[in-house]
Amino acid sequence: MARDVTSAHTNADAQLHSGKIRLVGVLYTSSGGALAHIKLYDGTSAAGVMRLELDTTKQGVVTWNIPEGGLLFANGLYCDIGGASSFTALLKD
């Protein structure tokens, strides 16, 4: 049986999920010009292990799907939004 995908959204550095979760996609906005440097950590803060780093200078909305069941965050998901305007994580348990 397929599991539903949920989402978590933020406009600032934040813990997006506590506990084990898989990241299956991202959507973020950038005003362009300045580098949007997003870091995603396995844990409840930026002290966790960085599992994914995303950069863009493109203005507008950027989407990215993660293949093969997603990227596992065993201890929660924390987002350092960097220079992005907003960030949405698509999650599957």
Side-chain angles (χ1 to χ4, degrees):
M1 172 189 279
R3 292 187 176 145
D4 289 335
V5 173
T6 60
S7 66
H9 178 81
T10 188
N11 296 100
D13 297 354
Q15 179 181 345
L16 298 179
H17 188 78
S18 60
K20 187 176 180 180
I21 196 76
R22 289 191 176 274
L23 179 70
V24 295
V26 300
L27 181 146
Y28 58 95
T29 58
S30 174
S31 60
L35 179 66
H37 189 80
I38 300 164
K39 296 177 184 176
L40 301 179
Y41 296 89
D42 185 347
T44 58
S45 72
V49 175
M50 186 173 40
R51 299 276 290 141
L52 182 63
E53 198 168 356
L54 304 164
D55 292 330
T56 187
T57 56
K58 178 182 175 185
Q59 184 173 0
V61 177
V62 177
T63 61
W64 185 54
N65 295 316
I66 301 170
E68 301 298 326
L71 183 61
L72 178 63
F73 288 79
N75 304 298
L77 173 58
Y78 182 85
C79 176
D80 177 340
I81 198 167
S85 304
S86 67
F87 180 84
T88 301
L90 301 175
L91 305 168
K92 194 172 188 179
D93 62 348

